[in-house]
Amino acid sequence: MSSYPQSLEHLLEELQQLPTVGPKTASRLAFYLLGAPKERVEALARAMIEVKERLTACTRCGNLAQGQLCEICSDPRRDARLLCVVANTRDLMAMESSGEYTGLYHVLGGLISPLDGIGPAELNVGKLVERLKLEPVEELIIATNPTVPGEATALYLKDLLKHRTGLSVTRLASGLPMGADLEYADPLTLSRALNNRRAF
Amino acid sequence: MSSYPQSLEHLLEELQQLPTVGPKTASRLAFYLLGAPKERVEALARAMIEVKERLTACTRCGNLAQGQLCEICSDPRRDARLLCVVANTRDLMAMESSGEYTGLYHVLGGLISPLDGIGPAELNVGKLVERLKLEPVEELIIATNPTVPGEATALYLKDLLKHRTGLSVTRLASGLPMGADLEYADPLTLSRALNNRRAF
């Protein structure tokens, strides 16, 4: 029996390489593109290529930047005494979305995960040590995920920096998320919430 | 607080125009594209544009074609005495995937739906009548969805073609889907399955 025309098959293959896109979504997207005005499709294609051409890593913190320094590093209102270590730009944006944090960031570019062949050498750690020498950082907030790789990375950094005087190293609190229901909380989160209980 | 660099914001906007893509998926896709090799992103962008440039409607049946006639219309092994009317190319491909059908197709480009302003004039119906005059069609199988617009379109076609001698007009069976459980079948499907019961 016949199949799709060759150029459509090719687009379907390309779309299925994307995360979250299986055969059904790929065909839905492809038919949407087929039906959309030519200008829309060209605009999307152009946006995809431009993002690759224009965005680089900030030379200071590793965040996405359109130029040498990212928006955060070039903002003089940010508090240079606070430095928050995150795994990647998405985590950085999540931190920003809380609207609470006024300091700077350092993006590691991943987390220590021996099973995936990622050790400290694969992360942006050398640059972090260098920044701590040059910048007036007073508190280093380790904001890696409360997962095995996130904890391993946090422990590694804590150990690496333990001899630096005048630098306090902190870690984001972990416990029950806001609005959570104890009944449905997982045992690990509950035991963490219990161990980290605060005076009230 | 800061936001994404401008070219990334632009890509996110473009991605969110796609069906099934909300803010979360858009950011997942955008970060995938940022991390992917430049060639991959360019290949996807090119495939999107090529599909728009290369694919046109088959001049005979309205199916997608890379040239004048689609693959099905240009296949001499297809039985020209059978003509199956479908709403769109996706339905045509679904029919093909059953591997059962050996005839030709006619793609309407939609279904009659007065609420959406789609009447017979908006569909590829004139061309269908023309084909029935020129081609040796013996059976016209109406394979529109068993929904209100699908039934309305089927009734309209049946009425339009009732005076043609030597043409039998049929409709896909509707009833319980294979593997269905009566307990969970909707009442409309059950009543249809009961009314259309066959000798066994």
Side-chain angles (χ1 to χ4, degrees):
Chain A
M1 288 286 125
S2 95
S3 63
Y4 287 118
Q6 189 212 320
S7 54
L8 182 54
E9 282 290 352
H10 180 59
L11 176 59
L12 288 171
E13 272 165 36
E14 291 289 342
L15 286 170
Q16 281 181 60
Q17 311 269 349
L18 297 173
T20 79
V21 178
K24 292 249 169 187
T25 309
S27 111
R28 188 143 176 217
L29 291 173
F31 277 100
Y32 168 83
L33 293 172
L34 269 171
K38 196 155 180 261
E39 303 76 54
R40 278 226 58 70
V41 178
E42 285 171 349
L44 173 58
R46 218 176 313 115
M48 281 166 41
I49 288 175
E50 270 179 15
V51 99
K52 292 298 284 184
E53 281 171 353
R54 296 217 184 143
L55 292 189
T56 50
C58 171
T59 51
R60 188 184 186 187
C61 76
N63 184 18
L64 286 173
Q66 208 152 332
Q68 281 275 89
L69 288 181
C70 73
E71 278 190 49
I72 296 170
C73 283
S74 36
D75 183 345
R77 288 163 305 176
R78 306 293 295 220
D79 186 348
R81 291 167 302 177
L82 287 172
L83 189 59
C84 177
V85 178
V86 290
N88 53 48
T89 310
R90 299 178 74 174
D91 291 356
L92 183 156
M93 294 313 302
M95 287 293 294
E96 282 295 286
S97 71
S98 77
E100 273 296 316
Y101 184 66
T102 55
L104 297 173
Y105 290 94
H106 192 78
V107 180
L108 291 176
L111 293 171
I112 294 173
S113 176
L115 285 176
D116 302 314
I118 304 176
E122 275 68 49
L123 304 179
N124 191 12
V125 169
K127 181 83 195 162
L128 173 64
V129 174
E130 206 179 298
R131 284 185 74 184
L132 290 173
K133 280 181 199 147
L134 299 170
E135 299 180 22
V137 183
E138 293 174 7
E139 182 177 353
L140 188 79
I141 304 165
I142 304 181
T144 54
N145 290 335
T147 57
V148 172
E151 295 289 335
T153 308
L155 284 170
Y156 169 80
L157 290 177
K158 185 184 154 193
D159 198 56
L160 182 73
L161 304 170
K162 68 183 169 200
H163 299 303
R164 299 199 76 84
T165 48
L167 178 73
S168 75
V169 177
T170 59
R171 178 104 177 83
L172 287 190
S174 61
L176 289 167
M178 294 304 290
D181 190 330
L182 254 76
E183 189 180 342
Y184 301 115
D186 64 293
L188 223 60
T189 297
L190 266 182
S191 82
R192 184 69 72 101
L194 186 66
N195 288 328
N196 295 352
R197 66 192 179 277
R198 299 174 310 145
F200 187 64
Chain B
M1 289 287 125
S2 95
S3 61
Y4 288 118
Q6 189 211 321
S7 54
L8 182 54
E9 282 289 354
H10 180 59
L11 176 61
L12 287 171
E13 272 165 37
E14 290 289 341
L15 286 170
Q16 282 182 58
Q17 310 270 349
L18 297 173
T20 78
V21 179
K24 291 249 169 189
T25 310
S27 110
R28 190 145 173 214
L29 292 173
F31 277 99
Y32 168 83
L33 293 172
L34 270 172
K38 196 155 180 262
E39 303 76 55
R40 277 225 56 71
V41 178
E42 285 171 348
L44 173 58
R46 217 175 315 115
M48 280 166 40
I49 288 175
E50 271 178 14
V51 98
K52 293 296 287 184
E53 280 170 354
R54 295 215 185 144
L55 292 189
T56 50
C58 170
T59 51
R60 188 183 186 188
C61 77
N63 184 17
L64 286 173
Q66 209 153 331
Q68 281 274 90
L69 288 181
C70 73
E71 278 191 47
I72 296 171
C73 283
S74 37
D75 184 346
R77 289 164 304 176
R78 305 294 295 220
D79 185 348
R81 291 167 301 176
L82 288 173
L83 189 60
C84 177
V85 178
V86 290
N88 53 49
T89 311
R90 299 178 73 174
D91 291 356
L92 182 156
M93 294 313 302
M95 288 291 296
E96 282 296 286
S97 70
S98 77
E100 273 296 316
Y101 183 67
T102 55
L104 297 172
Y105 289 94
H106 190 79
V107 179
L108 292 176
L111 292 171
I112 294 174
S113 176
L115 286 176
D116 301 314
I118 304 176
E122 276 69 49
L123 304 179
N124 191 11
V125 170
K127 181 83 194 164
L128 172 64
V129 174
E130 207 180 297
R131 285 184 74 184
L132 290 173
K133 281 180 197 148
L134 298 170
E135 299 180 22
V137 183
E138 293 172 9
E139 183 178 352
L140 187 80
I141 304 167
I142 304 180
T144 54
N145 289 336
T147 57
V148 172
E151 295 289 335
T153 308
L155 284 170
Y156 169 79
L157 291 176
K158 186 183 154 194
D159 198 55
L160 182 74
L161 305 170
K162 68 183 170 199
H163 298 303
R164 299 199 76 86
T165 49
L167 177 74
S168 75
V169 177
T170 58
R171 179 104 178 81
L172 287 191
S174 62
L176 290 168
M178 296 304 291
D181 190 330
L182 254 77
E183 189 180 342
Y184 301 114
D186 66 292
L188 223 59
T189 298
L190 266 181
S191 81
R192 185 68 73 101
L194 186 67
N195 288 328
N196 295 352
R197 65 191 181 278
R198 299 173 311 145
F200 187 64

